[in-house]
Amino acid sequence: MFLPLSGLFLKSASMTWPQFLQAVADPRVVASYRLSFGASFIGAGINAVFGFIVAWVLVRYSFPGKRLVDALVDLPFALPTAVSGIALTAIYSENGWIGRFLTGLGVKAAFSPFGVVIALTFIGLPFVVRTLQPALHDLEVEIEEAAASLGATRWQTFRRVIFPAILPTLLTGFALAFARALGEYGSVVFISGNIPMRTEIAPLLIIMKLEQYDYAGATAIAVVMLAASFVLLLIINLLQWWSGRYRTAAMT
Amino acid sequence: MSEPTEPRTTEPQRRLTRATTEPLWVRCVLIVVAMVFLGLFLFVPLAAVFAQALAKGVQAYLDSFRDAEALAAIRLTLITAAIAVPLNLIFGLSAAWAIAKFNFYGKNILITLIDLPFAISPVISGLIYVLMFGMRGWFGPWLAEHDIKIIFAVPGIVLATIFVTLPFVARELIPLMQAQGTEEEEAARVLGAGGWEMFRRVTLRNIKWGLLYGIILCNARAMGEFGAVSVVSGHVRGETNTMTLHVEILYNEYNFVAAFAVASLLSILALVTLAAKSFVEWKFRHELTADRAPSI
């Protein structure tokens, strides 16, 4: 496993710096980076908000069908990405079940950057929910009782007590969803329509370069993506350390 | 997942319970928001797969599976999983065993390396193999000389699948075996058990549910992998097409019923995976590790 990875870097090292920069600074490549990072960020943001609500509802409330819903949250993990891709395209395209209404509102979902955001939101959802669930579960009710008995309203308790305690975990979930979305390929290529400069994601460009036997160009794009993944991995580890410290501090 | 119960006994206790939850209308609004969000992003796409597959009736749906190329794709997917899953089972067991039961130099690096396939894009995983075994890759000329084809052939697909599914069994077992420690094995040794007997009667018994859990996830990913396989396959119809790649080809040919028919099989696999996973979690949660935070 280590051998292939070092091979990747060596291959790119056999390029000269100007060649590398030229491959990476190509306007089409830059546009794909912008879309990949931007759409992943927005998708992870949507998941942070709604994933929080989903996790909260699943941990704190009881309602019929809860166990089924809880199991289905993992669907984006279990469903092959190509299947999610064509399914999302089918419902969000112009005459799809949901796309029909969006078209009526003048919103183009499939084959636009918005479609990319939809796919990346789908793919990142379980990361936020599954990261938050154990943390919400471990929150001690006694602290909330203490806040309430000291006269705090429920909203104040949430804002001042629950939210700060859960924030590192929420950020971890956000970063995990973001990292996953960044590398995602299968679910995006169908719904995006792959319009040059507009809806091409970076992993797609890697595949296109490979199909043209431009190994160096493909590697250059991949190296930038890899570097981003490693930085994210570092951030995620720091966040986990932070939230872990929070939890041990809460226990002592 | 245990439901928070609301004990309704004495008056002060009831007031306390009310203080740590939200008013009824807030709860209802939050549940509705969560369900609408999940509906738009999870349930509707899932339903769409089956609706599209059956759009032209049951007969057209069933006819999709009579196609020789579809059958070849299904066979290749099964073969790939049949090779990748057992190999990763062996690797996962030995890696987890080494990490949990022994101390050695570079242990943390090994743990990080095992997680690596999760951290990088599947497309990049595939690219790595093209760079190594492709025509202009490291071993490319040597392989061409000996007439061995890996990239754009079945071995490449199997290799890429093994790489992508590498972490599943190991990362399930490592925390489990670490938590269990080595005491029971030591006891078995003292009582006169041999190495294999100790492994079979003590270690394997202790980890069997975690192992099953890892295999379920590993298998689902092995059969459903798309990005990495797409890079190394070369898309030769009837030869190097897995089910997911076949879905892509059919879809791009506007053969929607057939595309969604194959997709529906994969969706059923996903649902069975989720059901099996929930069952293992629910039945044996005390034997699995508690915190199951996902990783990329």
Side-chain angles (χ1 to χ4, degrees), chain A residues 114-125:
Chain A
F114 180 49
V116 179
V117 172
I118 291 174
L120 294 180
T121 307
F122 172 85
I123 216 71
L125 173 70

Side-chain angles (χ1 to χ4, degrees), chain B residues 12-260:
Chain B
Q13 202 176 358
R14 191 185 299 174
R15 218 176 316 149
L16 211 55
T17 310
R18 222 179 289 140
T20 54
T21 188
E22 287 71 45
L24 185 64
W25 69 270
V26 176
R27 273 184 280 168
C28 289
V29 167
L30 286 180
I31 290 176
V32 169
V33 168
M35 290 309 117
V36 168
F37 178 74
L38 290 180
L40 286 182
F41 281 96
L42 294 188
F43 310 144
V44 175
L46 186 62
V49 172
F50 293 98
Q52 297 276 344
L54 294 166
K56 295 208 175 108
V58 179
Q59 197 53 47
Y61 175 75
L62 292 177
D63 282 345
S64 317
F65 300 118
R66 229 167 268 154
D67 180 42
E69 282 163 6
L71 290 177
I74 294 173
R75 194 166 57 233
L76 181 57
T77 293
L78 292 177
I79 292 172
T80 307
I83 301 173
V85 174
L87 280 180
N88 276 334
L89 172 67
I90 295 167
F91 167 79
L93 256 178
S94 28
W97 174 272
I99 286 169
K101 313 274 175 180
F102 302 101
N103 271 317
F104 56 91
Y105 187 71
K107 194 160 143 173
N108 283 327
I109 298 174
L110 184 62
I111 296 178
T112 314
L113 275 181
I114 287 172
D115 267 353
L116 200 67
F118 276 157
I120 63 180
S121 168
V123 170
I124 297 182
S125 309
L127 171 70
I128 292 168
Y129 283 95
V130 174
L131 290 182
M132 267 178 64
F133 301 118
M135 282 299 278
R136 295 185 212 169
W138 278 11
F139 305 113
W142 186 85
L143 289 170
E145 239 170 69
H146 293 77
D147 210 23
I148 307 171
K149 219 165 146 50
I150 292 185
I151 298 303
F152 305 141
V154 176
I157 294 176
V158 175
L159 278 177
T161 305
I162 292 173
F163 181 81
V164 172
T165 56
L166 188 81
F168 284 100
V169 175
R171 62 174 293 118
E172 205 53 57
L173 292 183
I174 291 168
L176 193 61
M177 288 170 90
Q178 271 177 335
Q180 284 167 352
T182 53
E183 280 169 27
E184 287 188 35
E185 273 88 358
E186 280 159 17
R189 264 288 210 258
V190 170
L191 292 171
W196 171 242
E197 202 184 3
M198 172 191 80
F199 174 77
R200 197 167 51 90
R201 311 241 323 233
V202 179
T203 313
L204 211 54
R205 268 178 72 97
N206 280 337
I207 60 168
K208 57 176 187 265
W209 295 112
L211 194 62
L212 180 65
Y213 193 92
I215 292 173
I216 292 170
L217 297 184
C218 180
N219 180 59
R221 183 68 192 269
M223 291 189 171
E225 179 50 31
F226 177 67
V229 170
S230 170
V231 174
V232 296
S233 119
H235 307 267
V236 184
R237 300 186 73 148
E239 277 178 46
T240 63
N241 254 351
T242 60
M243 283 169 84
T244 51
L245 297 175
H246 197 58
V247 167
E248 183 191 26
I249 289 182
L250 291 172
Y251 189 86
N252 287 338
E253 288 172 349
Y254 302 101
N255 193 349
F256 292 137
V257 169
F260 279 101

Side-chain angles (χ1 to χ4, degrees), chain A residues 88-112 114-115 118 191, chain B residues 40-41:
Chain A
L88 288 171
T89 314
I91 51 176
Y92 285 98
S93 65
E94 255 167 57
N95 37 22
W97 291 348
I98 299 176
R100 203 175 300 165
F101 297 104
L102 292 175
T103 314
L105 296 169
V107 181
K108 193 168 158 54
F111 316 126
S112 77
F114 180 49
I118 291 174
I191 201 170
Chain B
L40 286 182
F41 281 96

Side-chain angles (χ1 to χ4, degrees), chain A residues 80-86 183-191 201, chain B residues 122-123 226-227:
Chain A
T81 52
V83 176
S84 344
I86 62 171
E184 180 54 24
Y185 171 71
S187 57
V188 181
V189 283
F190 296 100
I191 201 170
I201 51 165
Chain B
V123 170
F226 177 67

